[in-house]
Amino acid sequence: MAKSASKITLSASKDIPFDKLMLSQSNVRRIKAGVSVEELAEDIARRGLLQGLSVRAMLNDDGTETGMYEIPAGRRRFQALALLVKQKRLAKTTPIPCILRDAASDTLAEDDSLAENMQRVALHPLDQFRAFVALREKGQGDEAIAAAFFVTPPVVKQRLKLAAVAPALLDVYAEDGMTLEQLMAFTVNPDHDRQMQVWDVISSSWNKEPFQIRRMLTETSVRASDRRAVFVGAEAYEAAGGTILRDLFQGDDGGWLEDVALLDRLVSDRLQAEAEAITTEGWKWIEVALDLPYGYSHGLRRLSGDPAPMSDDEVAAHAALLAEYRALEEEYAGQDEIPEEVDARLGELELAMEAIEARPLVFDPDEITRAGAFVTLDRSGRLSVCRGYVRPEDEPRAETATGDGGDADAVQVGQGGDPGVSVSDVHDGHADASVGTIITSGGQPLGAGLPEDEDEDALKPLPERLVQELTAHRTLALREALGRSPDVALTLLLLKLVNDTFRSSGASGSCLEASVRQVYLPAQAPDLKDSAVALAV
């Protein structure tokens, strides 16, 4: 007959008063690790004791029980309970759930203590992330979760963000297919499809560094430190419906602005608003551009303005700053080293005086009506306005009278003048300023500079394509007219050649393209300039 296997007998449980328990010298844990005793005590006070203590009855020399029990396994739990008793939050006689091990067992007390610690499997981080999500879904806020598990609210946000990564990537992480640092990098962009696209590329690449993952996930976004983002401001961008990608695990300089098209529109709108505010200064034109090309002012004359005078308050403020600056200099003149706070104060005074001394330029009102300004951004995202540039066609010209006293308008049109502006509309060489400032961007009018009640009835600029087609018709008509009038053609040619030869300043264009090219003779005999031919020329 086969011998039946012996049944396993489990240790009995027993509630033992706290004052009957004491620590055992057989406990193998000596080094404090993990959650502190104070935090564990607070957790026990909040939710009670989740795991009982493993105890053994203490025996006299004759083998009888003393009524006290030692604790080989559960040292930190006992210390936490002892702290609650000391704080008068737990009675000394409170029954404590215990697993009563047989004191005469062949298994040593040290064996029990070691097994309890070594057989324990730490919770996988992903299980913790998902547990936080479950608590959140059941109504607990970030603050409550943080308080319950003795972490800060930002840590809770990090765990929730990790749990929000694409489920397929979480499965890869659960199978040790990626590191925690790589998973953290994927939290930068919440788009699961984009996360999977990046993982498909990264998984087959040699470069799997977290920074590479972050770079790929944000390559279509704009950093918050970008000058466009600085100019608009994160609050205005978010108020307009934009989203900002944030990295909760490392410094991100404010994050990444995801909607680039929205950001560009906000930049354009604000630049236009700034330009419209400048129209009150009376400029003839204002050019708006995010980036001004190198040499943008080539061929333009720069007005020379005078610094605006200081007001009485500014003069007094500057004098006070200067007096304090000189007093500090004299006080520490003989010392080898100046205290840091004094040096910092001197720097503050210098900046304050420079701000007052940096006076805006005041221009001649007559010059303003023929000049313009550029509105753009500097490299740090601040508004930059460059005022006082005159285009060649806006330069003042003396009225030209014909030999027979004819209409001067005909001469202007023949020189390429604007047929829409007659001589009667010109005062001191510039058009009537009442037409308002023209604001353009990339050569296209922005429609500013007119009163609001006139916008509906104002003349709208023609489409660029239509302007090009009409220009082609006009050019062909001028060619045909010149072909029928050789004397006019010869006069225009002579006028163009004379202007190009003898006028040093920029001359207005005309319907005729012709030029004079000077030919220089690099190899010359010494007497060439005195030859008969040279003298005749």
Side-chain angles (χ1 to χ4, degrees), residues 397-401 408 412 423-424 426-429:
R397 303 183 192 86
E399 297 182 8
T400 304
Q412 280 193 330
V423 174
S424 61
V426 179
H427 307 282
D428 298 330

Side-chain angles (χ1 to χ4, degrees), residues 296-297 299-305 361 363 367 385-390 395:
Y296 67 92
S297 61
L300 306 182
R301 178 169 64 89
R302 181 74 183 272
L303 299 182
S304 56
L361 296 179
F363 301 98
E367 292 276 41
V385 181
C386 305
R387 297 174 172 87
Y389 291 91
V390 181
E395 292 286 3

Side-chain angles (χ1 to χ4, degrees), residues 340-476:
E340 291 185 3
E341 60 275 10
V342 176
D343 187 55
R345 179 55 182 165
L346 289 173
E348 293 174 358
L349 294 172
E350 287 180 354
L351 292 176
M353 287 188 290
E354 289 175 0
I356 297 176
E357 294 167 358
R359 313 302 300 162
L361 296 179
V362 178
F363 301 98
D364 184 348
D366 290 336
E367 292 276 41
I368 288 178
T369 57
R370 68 168 59 93
F374 296 94
V375 177
T376 185
L377 295 182
D378 64 13
R379 63 180 5 178
S380 62
R382 293 175 298 187
L383 182 70
S384 175
V385 181
C386 305
R387 297 174 172 87
Y389 291 91
V390 181
R391 292 168 174 167
E393 59 267 27
D394 295 327
E395 292 286 3
R397 303 183 192 86
E399 297 182 8
T400 304
T402 58
D404 57 359
D407 187 0
D409 287 351
V411 176
Q412 280 193 330
V413 174
Q415 292 178 352
D418 185 357
V421 181
S422 64
V423 174
S424 61
D425 295 329
V426 179
H427 307 282
D428 298 330
H430 60 272
D432 192 344
S434 63
V435 297
T437 303
I438 299 175
I439 302 178
T440 59
S441 177
Q444 298 299 314
L446 294 179
L450 293 175
E452 292 184 2
D453 56 350
E454 296 181 8
D455 285 347
E456 294 296 330
D457 300 328
L459 293 176
K460 303 297 191 297
L462 296 175
E464 183 179 3
R465 174 76 180 191
L466 179 57
V467 171
Q468 292 176 349
E469 294 177 352
L470 292 175
T471 302
H473 280 285
R474 180 173 178 268
T475 302
L476 189 59

Side-chain angles (χ1 to χ4, degrees), residues 11 14 83 125 140 160 178 211 316 342 370 372 376 385 421 537:
S11 299
K14 182 179 180 180
L83 180 60
Q140 289 196 23
L160 295 173
M178 72 169 67
F211 75 84
V342 176
R370 68 168 59 93
T376 185
V385 181
V421 181
V537 171

Side-chain angles (χ1 to χ4, degrees), residues 13-14 31 63 170 271:
S13 60
K14 182 179 180 180
I31 300 173
L170 293 179
L271 282 176

